[in-house]
Amino acid sequence: MSRKSERLVNLTIALLATSRWLTKSEIYRTIDGYSGDLDAKERMFERDKEELRKLGIEIEVGSFDPLFEDEVGYRIRPEKYKIQVSKLSEIQFSLISLATQMWRGAVLDSQANSALLKLKSLGIESDDEGLSLNPQRLDVSDENLLHIIDAISSKKVISFGYLNRDSVTQDRAIEPLGVGTKNGFWYVGGRDLDRKEIRLFRLDRFSSAVKDQGRASAFETPVDFSMSDLLKSQAREKQCRIKVRTDKAHALRKFSSLISSEDDWDLVDLSYASENQLLRDLLWHKDDVKVIEPEELVRELEKALERIETLHG
Amino acid sequence: MAKRSTPMEKAARLLDLVPFLYKNQGISIEMLAKEFGVDREEILSDLNTLWMCGETRFDLIGLEFASGYVYIRNAQAINLVRSLSTQEMISIFFGLDLLKDELGDQRPDLLKEIETLKSQINPELSSKVSANQAVSASLLEEIDKAIASRSLLEIQYHSVADDKYSTRIISPIEKVRRDGHDFLIAFCTVADSRRTFRLDRISSAKVVDLSSPSIAAPDEDESRISVTLKVHANARLLNETFDKCRELGDDKYQVEVFNTSWLVREIIASAGDFELLEPLNLRQEVVRQSRAIALQYR
């Protein structure tokens, strides 16, 4: 079992140490572990290259003599292999160290740890500056998250089962662009291939394992894409005018601006994102809120109340 | 800890071991295992494998560890710290975002450092990641303090069912996490029984000493009652709203709730998607309260 890891390490050493292109035949000859007939060696080598690529190690392919289209050669450039962040201050290192602690026990725990190890290997000392923060845990054990992160970075389309409003699984396919958390929920942002627009998907509504579709680099990320903007975009851009009973409807007051107050009521302008959610929120607060404007909203509310009464009548 | 590594995970670790050992010559095997998050057996297997590697068959890496302390030489070709993988970078970005939330406005210098870090590591990738805290760190700290010192906590809690903020004195027991939310299980001193509080509804918490007077009696009914609902649309919302949902067939569900006023609110808020079938008195309550709302507009 350790033969394969041995071979991968030897291959990496050989490709890093060489000052010129190494051909396949040279590789098979000098590196332990390439055995069997030529076909077997070829297959082994292809798989090894793929494994190293997954580890983020870029193997360059070139040839000696462009005129003769000779046998191709391989190498790894040390400048590309090594870590780019060499100049980290002590305080920056401490920040990263704290950042990695957030993953204790969760799905990217070992990656966070290996990231920290690499930085430690740069020889940077930690400077706590008394940063005793209370690290919260990024509590997610969802294996889909790892898969999604890989697809985002290799720019592969993914497909998955997703629960629709009626709790029925639908097949969705997206170009994944980003991941994030908001209010305790995990979200994936991506371009929905059917609806042809960028949407958010909640990770806990995925009803199946995520699958790759097709090759890497299948799409481009829009230049101005920002996951944090997308998450905020549950943006409350519309407004309505309502009356709110004094000391009530705290959940709505958060998104309201006061116009005037009298007796038991405050007149406010409430900002909201979706009509559906607004209706729910207003109904939830029962007769502690009264809609003033727009008319259509009042009608929607009255229709909803009629529906409820008829059902329960 | 001890989960057997795949050959790829092992290869990655072997490559990372080299620059780490060069920087930490003479490190003990135990310490090395701990740093790499593996057990002693695994790290020894790693060292034994690494020992067999080298530029050629005759020019192997020099590793000495029989003494219990590890020394390395002749591995200069891979004495390079490997670049961060995407997963590693993303794990850092998430953590940095949460840190930003915690620091809030207190340390603008550190906030700036975090932004610099993100663009130093990988600006394109950092825009694809966003995390934020659901609960403030200072609140958690106060709660942890109370749990640790077995003190009482005075909290301001937004009681969702009654839609009001109330002050309560509680004796916190433990924090738990369920369905993506954090909860605090505590003994409510006035109700004289255990209650569950959602952390993101606690707006403030303060450790108090025993001599403080208790305040505010909670209005909740502590026993669970069983209700039957029919779903006309939006079944997913039903599952996400109610904790214990049992499917009865024919779009009917049995649900258990503590708080009937909260239940009635949720039924009304569903605008006809959910129908309360039983018990009859609650069904009538839904009608009564809907009429009260409609009356405002006549």
Side-chain angles (χ1 to χ4, degrees):
Chain A
M1 199 273 284
S2 58
R3 297 228 60 205
K4 177 164 181 189
S5 24
E6 204 182 301
R7 195 178 67 239
L8 286 171
V9 172
N10 282 331
L11 180 59
T12 309
I13 296 177
L15 293 175
L16 268 172
T18 182
S19 47
R20 53 171 182 79
W21 302 104
L22 275 185
T23 63
K24 269 189 224 178
S25 29
E26 281 173 313
I27 288 169
Y28 300 155
R29 206 175 51 235
T30 56
I31 295 175
D32 248 335
Y34 287 104
S35 53
D37 62 12
L38 190 61
D39 266 338
K41 288 185 188 158
E42 297 273 314
R43 278 199 302 274
M44 215 180 248
F45 183 56
E46 286 309 309
R47 278 201 299 270
D48 286 352
K49 273 196 293 163
E50 180 58 24
E51 303 275 42
L52 289 185
R53 196 192 61 77
K54 280 197 198 145
L55 284 180
I57 298 171
E58 199 189 303
I59 299 179
E60 264 186 61
V61 183
S63 72
F64 296 96
D65 199 327
L67 272 183
F68 283 93
E69 286 249 345
D70 218 307
E71 202 186 342
V72 293
Y74 302 87
R75 70 193 290 180
I76 298 173
R77 289 203 193 270
E79 317 86 70
K80 293 262 175 78
Y81 174 86
K82 72 177 191 199
I83 196 169
Q84 302 304 314
V85 273
S86 48
K87 291 222 170 339
L88 276 184
S89 68
E90 288 154 6
I91 191 69
Q92 283 177 328
F93 182 72
S94 301
L95 287 171
I96 294 183
S97 173
L98 278 169
T100 56
Q101 282 174 50
M102 306 278 180
W103 286 100
R104 241 176 346 211
V107 78
L108 279 179
D109 191 8
S110 64
Q111 288 84 345
N113 193 49
S114 58
L116 195 61
L117 268 179
K118 284 179 180 170
L119 296 177
K120 280 188 186 172
S121 305
L122 288 172
I124 307 165
E125 288 302 317
S126 170
D127 168 16
D128 263 319
E129 238 202 61
L131 278 178
S132 63
L133 300 176
N134 196 345
Q136 262 183 82
R137 284 178 50 228
L138 276 163
D139 183 24
V140 60
S141 51
D142 202 328
E143 291 294 321
N144 272 337
L145 184 63
L146 280 181
H147 208 138
I148 291 165
I149 289 175
D150 279 340
I152 289 174
S153 91
S154 59
K155 300 201 166 78
K156 279 190 188 170
V157 168
I158 53 173
S159 67
F160 50 93
Y162 194 71
L163 290 179
N164 70 2
R165 283 175 88 233
D166 299 315
S167 231
V168 170
T169 293
Q170 287 186 319
D171 293 321
R172 308 295 286 268
I174 64 171
E175 293 171 354
L177 298 170
V179 299
T181 69
K182 188 176 175 178
N183 297 330
F185 290 109
W186 282 82
Y187 292 89
V188 180
R191 197 170 154 273
D192 189 319
L193 292 179
D194 293 311
R195 287 140 178 92
K196 305 237 186 306
E197 54 181 16
I198 294 182
R199 293 213 161 183
L200 277 176
F201 297 85
R202 243 168 69 172
L203 201 60
D204 62 320
R205 289 177 180 161
F206 278 54
S207 56
S208 76
V210 166
K211 289 203 199 58
D212 283 344
Q213 300 293 340
R215 53 180 182 79
S217 299
F219 56 89
E220 280 305 312
T221 310
V223 143
D224 54 355
F225 179 79
S226 149
M227 190 62 193
S228 59
D229 283 350
L230 188 62
L231 284 172
K232 271 189 245 160
S233 85
Q234 316 283 289
R236 294 171 172 257
E237 268 152 19
K238 306 180 208 163
Q239 292 224 312
C240 62
R241 186 159 288 196
I242 63 174
K243 283 212 306 201
V244 185
R245 210 184 286 273
T246 315
D247 252 345
K248 290 287 186 177
H250 296 276
L252 296 180
R253 284 175 187 276
K254 254 171 45 176
F255 305 103
S256 305
S257 50
L258 183 66
I259 300 173
S260 62
S261 286
E262 55 171 51
D263 293 340
D264 300 322
W265 295 88
D266 295 324
L267 185 66
V268 305
D269 273 339
L270 171 66
S271 303
Y272 65 97
S274 104
E275 271 85 16
N276 271 335
Q277 188 59 44
L278 176 66
L279 198 64
R280 272 190 59 83
D281 290 338
L282 292 172
L283 285 169
W284 198 91
H285 288 92
K286 299 192 292 186
D287 57 358
D288 289 330
V289 306
K290 181 177 176 192
V291 178
I292 308 294
E293 268 173 19
E295 250 316 295
E296 303 85 67
L297 185 58
V298 175
R299 275 199 290 278
E300 280 300 315
L301 207 71
E302 290 184 306
K303 267 199 297 195
L305 290 166
E306 249 179 69
R307 259 199 315 271
I308 298 169
E309 249 189 272
T310 315
L311 264 183
H312 292 84
Chain B
M1 252 196 210
K3 185 179 64 147
R4 279 289 150 257
S5 314
T6 63
M8 221 171 91
E9 285 167 349
K10 203 169 177 72
R13 212 166 46 239
L14 294 174
L15 290 171
D16 292 340
L17 264 170
V18 172
F20 188 84
L21 285 172
Y22 266 105
K23 265 287 181 310
N24 295 277
Q25 297 274 21
I27 189 172
S28 72
I29 292 176
E30 281 71 33
M31 203 55 216
L32 190 62
K34 191 156 165 275
E35 290 278 7
F36 276 81
V38 293
D39 59 20
R40 194 190 151 86
E41 205 186 315
E42 183 98 43
I43 205 78
L44 277 173
S45 152
D46 288 347
L47 291 171
N48 278 306
T49 308
L50 197 57
W51 196 56
M52 300 295 289
C53 299
E55 266 186 64
T56 67
R57 282 191 192 88
F58 311 105
D59 193 11
L60 298 175
I61 293 178
L63 266 182
E64 199 268 281
F65 51 94
S67 60
Y69 299 92
V70 190
Y71 296 89
I72 189 171
R73 57 177 184 79
N74 200 29
Q76 283 306 332
I78 47 172
N79 182 16
L80 293 166
V81 178
R82 246 173 3 107
S83 53
L84 294 171
S85 69
T86 308
Q87 288 182 0
E88 286 169 342
M89 286 192 274
I90 286 186
S91 70
I92 292 175
F93 290 142
F94 268 116
L96 287 175
D97 267 356
L98 287 190
L99 261 188
K100 255 173 46 186
D101 263 2
E102 271 196 32
L103 292 170
D105 301 314
Q106 293 159 25
R107 297 290 305 263
D109 57 327
L110 290 181
L111 289 182
K112 193 157 171 295
E113 285 287 5
I114 289 176
E115 287 310 309
T116 312
L117 255 180
K118 281 176 161 184
S119 47
Q120 251 183 286
I121 295 174
N122 189 321
E124 199 215 330
L125 196 59
S126 73
S127 69
K128 299 185 177 193
V129 165
S130 170
N132 78 341
Q133 283 188 349
V135 182
S136 90
S138 53
L139 191 78
L140 284 179
E141 221 181 285
E142 199 69 6
I143 292 172
D144 284 342
K145 225 171 37 178
I147 294 177
S149 61
R150 293 183 211 238
S151 314
L152 294 176
L153 208 56
E154 181 185 286
I155 63 170
Q156 275 271 315
Y157 189 68
H158 179 209
S159 160
V160 178
D162 305 309
D163 186 28
K164 63 173 183 253
Y165 276 101
S166 58
T167 309
R168 303 159 187 259
I169 305 268
I170 62 173
S171 176
I173 300 168
E174 64 170 335
K175 293 181 300 198
V176 297
R177 194 168 174 89
R178 204 162 34 88
D179 295 335
H181 293 282
D182 290 299
F183 294 85
L184 174 66
I185 299 180
F187 191 83
C188 187
T189 55
V190 176
D192 201 31
S193 63
R194 276 161 72 121
R195 290 294 157 85
T196 308
F197 300 92
R198 232 173 83 162
L199 284 188
D200 56 354
R201 297 206 178 114
I202 299 178
S203 61
S204 72
K206 206 169 40 132
V207 171
V208 293
D209 63 41
L210 288 162
S211 54
S212 296
S214 10
I215 305 170
D219 303 275
E220 299 149 25
D221 198 289
E222 190 51 15
S223 46
R224 267 193 202 275
I225 80 161
S226 195
V227 303
T228 317
L229 304 178
K230 184 165 172 147
V231 170
H232 294 275
N234 213 338
R236 185 178 73 189
L237 183 61
L238 185 87
N239 286 310
E240 291 176 357
T241 306
F242 297 101
D243 235 0
K244 298 181 190 302
C245 258
R246 200 160 63 91
E247 236 183 293
L248 300 172
D250 195 28
D251 292 327
K252 296 199 182 123
Y253 293 80
Q254 191 182 62
V255 150
E256 305 212 338
V257 296
F258 273 122
N259 191 308
T260 54
S261 47
W262 173 77
L263 172 71
V264 171
R265 281 192 197 260
E266 290 293 337
I267 300 291
I268 293 176
S270 77
D273 285 347
F274 306 154
E275 179 190 342
L276 206 166
L277 295 173
E278 285 171 350
L280 190 59
N281 66 315
L282 285 182
R283 190 178 160 87
Q284 289 164 343
E285 189 60 24
V286 170
V287 178
R288 205 183 60 75
Q289 292 191 21
S290 310
R291 288 203 181 128
I293 305 171
L295 209 60
Q296 292 179 288
Y297 300 98
R298 306 259 166 80

